[in-house]
Amino acid sequence: MDQILIMNHLDFPILSTTIFLPLVGACLLLFLRNDTVIKVTASVTGLINFVISLLLYVDFNVATHLFQFGEMKAWIPAYNINYALGIDGITIFLILLTTFLTPLCVLSAWSAIQTRVKEFMFCILMMESAMIGVFCALDFILFYVFWEAMLIPMYLLIAVWGGPRKDYASIKFFIYTLFGSVFLLVAIIALYLNNQTFSIPAAMSGNYSFTFQFWVFLAFALAFAIKVPMFPFHTWLPAAHTEAPTVGSVFLASVLLKMGTYGFLRFCLPVTPQASVYFAPLMIVLSVIGIIYGGLVCLSQTDMKKMIAYSSVAHMGFATLGIFAFTLFGFEGALLQMLNHGVTTGGLFLCVGIIYERTHSREIFDNAGLGKIMPVYTGLFGLFAISGFAFPGTNNFVGELYILLGTFLQHKVAGFFAVVGAILAAAYMLRLLKQIVWGREDKRIIPDMNAREIIYLVPLAVFVIWMGLFPRPFVLTVEKTLMHLSSQLQTYLH
Amino acid sequence: MVTLLLPEISIFLLAVIFLFISIKKNKSETSLSFAKFVSIIPFVISIFCVSGRGLLFSGAYSIDLFSQLFKVMLAFGFCVVVFMLENTDDIEREYVAEYFMFLAFSVLGLMMLVSSVELISIVIALEVSSYSLYVVVPLRKGHSKMQWEAAIKYLFFGAISTGVMLYGMSFIYAACRSTFLADIVLTFPTLVGHPLGIVALIMTLSGFFFKLSLFPFHFWAPDIYEGASNVTTTFIATIPKIAGAALLIRFTMIAPSFYMQFVNILVILAALSMTFGNIVGLVQKDVKRLLAYSGIAHAGYLLMGVLALTRDGNAAAVYYIAIYLLMNLACLYVVVLLANKGENVELDDLMGLSRRAPVLALTLAVAAFSLAGIPPTGGFTGKLFLFTSAFKQGHLTLVIIGAVNTVISIFYYLNLVRMSYSKEAPPNNSNPIKLTFNQKMVCYVLVFMILYMGILPKSIFGLFKAAL
């Protein structure tokens, strides 16, 4: 664990606090009876946690690639399992993204969820705990516990509050993910038998034979590819997205999918570098197929949620493409893309949720022509939509630009196809935007967004523009970690 | 000597008390509440006796940390089972005292079993525990034929397995000239090298496999689980299995690890048991049958720890059987409370449980996730230990089979959760279930224990490891 740099100026275990504060809030909910009080408690918990997590950013040392804010305690000494936490450039924004989205999600569910409010908020807060835990864990078992524990609230979110086919969607989601995860567990045990410890930093500095790396990579990649989801492991995603309640979709798209790409960056590349290089062509081909396939499928969708779900396949394809291009640009782009996709897709899903609450339909045609009726709504929706196809000046442009730069440096053909994918994105997003704003003329009366809805969408919109115009602080924060990662891989590349 | 045997003596006295109640003329509710009260005593006593050490009856009866820990588990399980029989119409009222007497005698036999280190006493203890159960299985209210069929099957299969076990033991005796495990250990390496030795060992073990319902000694389990009353099923599904596992671990501890034929047989049995149990479990509609097949699969998981033939592996197996006790008690407790007339519970009966009785739905969900091995429950931690110890001995294929099985099993465990959470109850079956304070407490204790063993396994695992 000497790789963990204890650099905590704050006198309290800040990572543990951000992980367990939502859980404490969730337990508090169990004693409350009034629905409004429950919602207020949940949003206050989320908000406090966001403020606390901002301290991470304030105190983050951008000059090092080492893990920071380290915490470590023996957990199961018989198997050398520790409660070890720490973050670096790869994880800091993923944690902030999670804490940022949670209070917004609670707000968005304020009127949409009428039944079993307590359980719903409990699930949201439990999810938040587990998701932050995944990004902070520096011990494989701790990581795995959080990784799997997150399945339970997500399953319940879909199975209890989901749409008409919730049963099918929730089970498919659970089993798909679990299938990948058990192989992850086998790989983790294999690494343990090699290192005699479950420590992640130790595994990253280990030296393994190629055959060993080959199998460990495959097991890892299966779990992560399902989570991302990469083509052809993506089939659980549209079903889960369309059946999940809005909050579930937001969490799924914004944070859960990032856990897959996070896994590639954190585990596959540093632990099994040689195998990663070996498998890179395959991963790049799958990413490109994902990008093109996702784009094409989006073109034919009439359900807004389904379309955004498939667009996630394409967007996350960009992220994996960036990762397996093995260039600094690619890594930075992938990380920014993860963050941007979280915000933009989150915003789009929330927009769909808002309109669904009013018209009870997610069909594009049913909701066409809102430009005059709901001007504020279409304004914000338009912003997220153009960000969705990486319009310059919005956040996604920065990420995709970096990824394309990184890809063209290494693989020109893949870069070419990725550009085609970007054009497809423009096509389907503009088609959606055109329909929603100008689709048809009628005299329906649908109330425009209320103050609560504006409150939870505006922060996302601000982020879209902020990142689009001024990405420097983000790039600066992640740079050192990614430079280290890319220099580690250089030895195996040529 | 008396102080060493206090757990056994206390449970024996308990059985005698029930004997006296059963011959009284006007036995009624008082005997029931009395039973609940006094059943805690053996549990408390066995906790206090954990530190006891000694060899009794010329070395045939060993009191050590291993046996004492198992006695605590047995007494705990017995205690919970007795508490379950509250407000339920499972057993004919007039037989309740006899029912408890037989259960207590069975626990006595099992307590003797975990301490026995000599073949003859093992057989005697095993039979003491089994005979009581043969009597208990048909004591069920309502169902007219099912329980008789179950009882007969249990008796016959039990007798056959005892016969096979005795036959195996006679081979061992012939080769080693002793019935004491301590002596057998010495001559064992030469014995196991011989094919006949392997046969002897496997035949002997088959008696314990029967108790554990390991494939292919499993076929009694689903019918008996289904036919016996809910409380009896709870008992059969948990308590004898603990003792069976204890004995299996004691026995394999003496087997030297370098005889691959022996290990290979165990590997095959484990793989078959897991796969068979889980695949057949997929199509079950009756919750008790489902749990029977799940039990067959879990016996396979358990064997993964045992066949590693290492201290870590055995500790993992002990840990797993402890958590298995809790998960199964929790699942079956829900079944008992749900079926207020003592009928069998179908999967469809679970519909809308989360509205009818949130505490029960939570208990069932935690238990099901634990059975499936999802963190942060004890089922996951236990499986992690088992997988790791098997992997350490190079059984990669078996670990992968186990992993795939985990995925298969999630289908039917998730079904339990799915029915209770995402389905609405049919109108004729949607009355809220009122739970008493005691019942809620039992639920909370089980849930807490399952999560505790999942999140903080350190102290308990350390204790089990020290016992081996």
Side-chain angles (χ1 to χ4, degrees), chain A residues 75 116 144 148 159 167 175 189, chain B residues 354 375 391 418 422 455 458:
Chain A
W75 183 21
R116 305 201 216 178
Y144 190 80
E148 291 279 84
D167 224 32
I175 296 196
I189 296 177
Chain B
S354 68
F391 207 154
R418 188 177 69 120
S422 74
I455 297 166
K458 187 172 139 187

Side-chain angles (χ1 to χ4, degrees), chain B residues 54 58 124 163 165 225 290 341 367 371 382 384-385 387 407 425 441:
Chain B
S58 345
I124 292 173
M165 184 175 74
Y225 277 40
L290 187 151
K341 288 198 184 63
L371 281 165
L384 173 74
F385 294 157
F387 282 13
V407 182
M441 281 320 289

Side-chain angles (χ1 to χ4, degrees), chain A residues 111-125:
Chain A
S111 62
I113 300 298
Q114 301 286 0
T115 53
R116 305 201 216 178
V117 178
K118 190 197 282 186
E119 289 92 335
F120 186 84
M121 295 300 169
F122 185 86
C123 284
I124 292 187
L125 291 178

Side-chain angles (χ1 to χ4, degrees), chain B residues 81-156:
Chain B
V81 169
V82 172
F83 267 80
M84 278 184 181
L85 206 72
E86 182 187 42
N87 299 337
T88 53
D89 253 354
D90 243 12
I91 313 293
E92 300 276 0
R93 281 281 159 203
E94 52 192 305
Y95 293 130
V96 168
E98 285 89 339
Y99 184 73
F100 282 130
M101 180 190 79
F102 284 121
L103 289 192
F105 271 124
S106 178
V107 174
L108 174 66
L110 295 170
M111 279 189 173
M112 285 156 57
L113 190 61
V114 294
S115 271
S116 303
V117 285
E118 191 260 346
L119 297 181
I120 306 295
S121 36
I122 287 175
V123 177
I124 292 173
L126 197 71
E127 293 308 288
V128 168
S129 74
S130 303
Y131 284 139
S132 318
L133 290 182
Y134 299 149
V135 184
V136 157
V137 170
L139 284 182
R140 180 179 192 178
K141 204 171 173 180
H143 289 261
S144 55
K145 283 212 178 115
M146 224 156 52
Q147 71 266 42
W148 292 110
E149 188 191 329
I152 300 282
K153 270 190 187 165
Y154 198 33
L155 177 64
F156 272 105

Side-chain angles (χ1 to χ4, degrees), chain A residues 247-308:
Chain A
V247 173
S249 305
V250 174
F251 270 144
L252 258 178
S254 303
V255 188
L256 249 72
L257 307 190
K258 308 301 169 297
M259 287 166 39
T261 39
Y262 165 70
F264 281 124
L265 278 174
R266 168 71 79 235
F267 303 116
C268 285
L269 267 47
V271 178
T272 59
Q274 228 178 325
S276 300
V277 172
Y278 178 80
F279 280 109
L282 174 71
M283 302 307 274
I284 286 176
V285 167
L286 289 181
S287 305
V288 171
I289 295 178
I291 293 170
I292 306 275
Y293 168 84
L296 288 174
V297 176
C298 277
L299 277 175
S300 63
Q301 294 304 318
T302 57
D303 182 315
M304 294 160 81
K305 233 178 166 180
K306 219 169 189 171
M307 197 195 107
I308 301 167

Side-chain angles (χ1 to χ4, degrees), chain B residues 8-64:
Chain B
E8 288 90 334
I9 292 172
S10 64
I11 199 102
F12 176 71
L13 287 178
L14 192 64
V16 172
I17 291 171
F18 286 125
L19 177 70
F20 280 121
I21 296 177
S22 74
I23 43 182
K24 246 173 61 178
K25 275 234 169 88
N26 51 345
K27 49 198 173 180
S28 58
E29 298 306 313
T30 40
S31 63
L32 195 64
S33 39
F34 182 69
K36 269 191 303 201
F37 177 70
V38 288
S39 71
I40 300 178
I41 296 172
F43 176 48
V44 176
I45 288 180
S46 48
I47 288 179
F48 278 109
C49 292
V50 156
S51 52
R53 299 282 177 281
L55 270 178
L56 303 175
F57 308 120
S58 345
Y61 201 81
S62 158
I63 309 279
D64 48 18

